[in-house]
Amino acid sequence: MFGDVGHGIIMAAFAFLMILFEKRLQYSKNEMVQNLYKGRYIIFLMGVFSIFTGFIYNEFFAIPLDIFGSRWKYTSESNMACGIDNCDVPSEVLPPLHPYPLGFDPIWKGSQNSLLFFNSYKMKFSIVIGVSQMVLGICLSCVNAKFFREPIDIWYVFVPQMIFMNSIFGYLVFLILFKWLKNWNSEACMSDPTCEPPDLKAILIGMFMSPGNVPPKLKLYDGQAFVQVLLLLAALVAIPWMLLPKPFLLKARFERTKYQIVKNNSDLETPASDVDSHHHVGCFSSSGSIPIAHCSEVREYLNLPSILLGFQGPFNFGDTMVNQMIHTIEFVLGAVSNTASYLRLWALSLAHAELSDVFLEKLLYTSIETGSPVGIVIGFSMWLCATIGVLMLMESLSAFLHALRLHWVEFQNKFYNLHGTGRKFAPFDFAELRQAETES
């Protein structure tokens, strides 16, 4: 979601009113009202988080908030600002010793390099949020595996996926946080000519292209080369760990248990033709196929995957191997593409901030500069319409759709449908809708 305290207050207030009068709106026949009513809590949370990120970006209707007072000041001795408590030599342009306590200092909004500064932060912040959410999704796959009592999926899916994701992109998040937290203006750093903020992209590329070799300008901490080689090896080991063990373990489990269904349950008779490594182990009684519920009981007793009992399809080692290969390739490539996909958060925030600035400067500030009461009223009306129509409606819908896509694809594909066959997509059909209304 975008970050602006004023816009977030409008959205949260609107959703709060819908929650307050939800009993009246529940029976509304207006389609638009019904859609807003169904999403009232989501809209409220969007507004709340917009207020939170607005305080981080320190923006109120695109105007910087100077709540605690800026920690920078300009002097006649330099074109660059210096910290108010660290400005003995203004030409050195030293930062304040005690920075702004919450969010960005308001002076950044009017600086010449504000766009570069905000872009750098928002891009890194998007990656931190994205990797954190994807790691959470992988952790949920472990919860699923425990629920379905599948230790194979814990040790040969969850563990290698966590190793691969954190060896590369978890390490990138560590580099981002380390770079933020390190004091680049300390005496030790100022006395070292090689101590300067490195390019994190160059570090990550060099980790693959020249393992074990870290140029002085890309060094963040001692032992960095060894750590990066170790993480690279862990990521490489995790790929065959995801690919090979699970299919062979499932085959071994199948071979070990294909005759136990008959042996351990006197009510079941398995035709010899069906007991084959290339066919399913059917759940049969003397009168034929037994209900699926009974198959589930046998599965629970023997700790068999559902696919081995026949009612979800035959077990075939070749198909299982190909399926695991597809999942492995999808995860490895998706780890890269999904992380890049979270950069849309940066783009959305940038677009919202730039539009807010344009509307504020071109519509409101320009009309105020005219000094005409009529012009001010017209300019304010146009600014208000643009804020509500473009920023609060169109931009909010865009942010909602992008956030929904990130949850549906990048987040949920880490854990959803790991132990099932899924559900066939049914597109929206007006004919079926009219038929249902006619029948009702």
Side-chain angles (χ1 to χ4, degrees):
M1 197 56 191
F2 50 76
D4 192 290
V5 177
H7 297 155
I9 289 175
I10 293 177
M11 180 167 289
F14 174 74
F16 180 75
L17 288 176
M18 286 196 297
I19 296 173
L20 196 62
F21 297 101
E22 59 183 3
K23 292 184 178 179
R24 297 182 184 180
L25 298 175
Q26 182 178 2
Y27 303 103
S28 175
K29 297 182 178 180
N30 188 294
E31 184 178 358
M32 181 63 70
V33 174
Q34 277 296 311
N35 289 331
L36 293 174
Y37 169 78
K38 293 176 182 178
R40 61 195 182 279
Y41 292 105
I42 296 178
I43 297 173
F44 179 75
L45 290 176
M46 289 172 66
V48 170
F49 283 107
S50 293
I51 295 173
F52 168 74
T53 51
F55 277 115
I56 298 298
Y57 300 150
N58 206 352
E59 290 190 1
F60 183 84
F61 292 112
I63 301 173
L65 294 173
D66 194 2
I67 300 176
F68 304 101
S70 176
R71 297 300 194 266
W72 295 82
K73 69 177 181 179
Y74 287 99
T75 64
S76 58
E77 301 181 27
S78 175
N79 294 327
M80 303 288 288
C82 59
I84 57 175
D85 53 359
N86 196 17
C87 200
D88 296 333
V89 184
S91 59
E92 294 183 358
V93 195
L94 297 176
L97 299 177
H98 300 88
Y100 199 77
L102 177 62
F104 289 100
D105 195 292
I107 201 173
W108 280 108
K109 186 70 175 180
S111 62
Q112 294 181 353
N113 59 340
S114 62
L115 186 60
L116 179 64
F117 180 77
F118 280 106
N119 274 350
S120 177
Y121 172 81
K122 292 178 180 179
M123 179 178 63
K124 294 180 176 67
F125 192 41
S126 299
I127 293 176
V128 172
I129 293 176
V131 174
S132 300
Q133 189 179 43
M134 288 190 292
V135 169
L136 174 62
I138 297 174
C139 292
L140 291 180
S141 71
C142 179
V143 176
N144 283 343
K146 288 183 177 180
F147 177 80
F148 288 102
R149 287 180 291 181
E150 292 292 350
I152 290 179
D153 288 327
I154 296 177
W155 295 107
Y156 303 102
V157 177
F158 164 72
V159 173
Q161 285 184 354
M162 284 291 287
I163 292 175
F164 183 85
M165 179 64 71
N166 288 291
S167 295
I168 301 175
F169 300 101
Y171 180 63
L172 178 59
V173 172
F174 166 77
L175 293 177
I176 291 172
L177 298 178
F178 192 93
K179 184 178 178 180
W180 281 348
L181 295 175
K182 184 173 181 179
N183 183 9
W184 299 99
N185 294 284
S186 63
E187 294 183 1
C189 191
M190 295 295 287
S191 60
D192 185 359
T194 62
C195 183
E196 58 182 23
D199 184 2
L200 300 184
K201 299 187 296 296
I203 293 179
L204 200 63
I205 293 173
M207 178 178 170
F208 291 91
M209 301 303 295
S210 57
N213 179 29
V214 179
K217 291 186 177 181
L218 298 181
K219 185 178 179 181
L220 269 176
Y221 58 90
D222 296 332
Q224 181 176 340
F226 173 76
V227 171
Q228 291 181 175
V229 170
L230 191 64
L231 292 176
L232 182 59
L233 291 175
L236 293 177
V237 169
I239 296 175
W241 191 351
M242 277 186 280
L243 175 63
L244 298 176
K246 183 178 178 180
F248 286 100
L249 289 173
L250 289 179
K251 179 177 174 60
R253 181 192 289 182
F254 175 84
E255 296 291 342
R256 186 175 64 251
T257 58
K258 63 182 179 180
Y259 293 107
Q260 291 182 2
I261 295 178
V262 178
K263 180 180 179 180
N264 293 307
N265 194 320
S266 59
D267 293 335
L268 298 181
E269 297 178 1
T270 304
S273 60
D274 287 337
V275 183
D276 189 276
S277 61
H278 297 290
H279 297 81
H280 68 280
V281 177
C283 284
F284 293 93
S285 65
S286 58
S287 59
S289 179
I290 67 173
I292 289 177
H294 292 184
C295 287
S296 299
E297 294 175 2
V298 176
R299 174 188 180 277
E300 180 178 355
Y301 180 77
L302 299 176
N303 194 26
L304 283 168
S306 301
I307 195 172
L308 299 187
L309 293 178
F311 58 82
Q312 286 192 350
F315 176 80
N316 185 287
F317 176 75
D319 292 342
T320 304
M321 191 70 190
V322 171
N323 183 65
Q324 188 64 21
M325 184 182 301
I326 293 173
H327 281 292
T328 302
I329 296 174
E330 183 182 15
F331 178 82
V332 173
L333 298 181
V336 181
S337 62
N338 293 165
T339 303
S341 185
Y342 276 94
L343 292 175
R344 70 183 67 230
L345 298 175
W346 163 41
L348 288 170
S349 179
L350 174 63
H352 185 88
E354 292 301 307
L355 282 174
S356 300
D357 289 339
V358 169
F359 292 153
L360 184 68
E361 294 175 5
K362 301 300 181 182
L363 297 179
L364 189 58
Y365 286 173
T366 302
S367 62
I368 293 176
E369 290 175 357
T370 62
S372 171
V374 177
I376 293 175
V377 172
I378 295 175
F380 177 79
S381 301
M382 294 176 63
W383 172 79
L384 184 61
C385 292
T387 298
I388 300 298
V390 178
L391 298 178
M392 300 307 303
L393 294 179
M394 296 176 62
E395 274 285 311
S396 299
L397 179 61
S398 174
F400 171 78
L401 293 176
H402 282 286
L404 184 65
R405 195 266 185 193
L406 290 174
H407 281 80
W408 182 257
V409 179
E410 279 73 17
F411 174 57
Q412 293 187 9
N413 71 0
K414 300 296 183 295
F415 65 91
Y416 183 74
N417 200 30
L418 182 62
H419 297 274
T421 57
R423 182 177 299 176
K424 184 178 180 180
F425 172 70
F428 181 77
D429 191 344
F430 281 106
E432 293 184 1
L433 185 63
R434 287 194 295 268
Q435 183 179 356
E437 291 178 350
T438 303
E439 293 177 354
S440 60

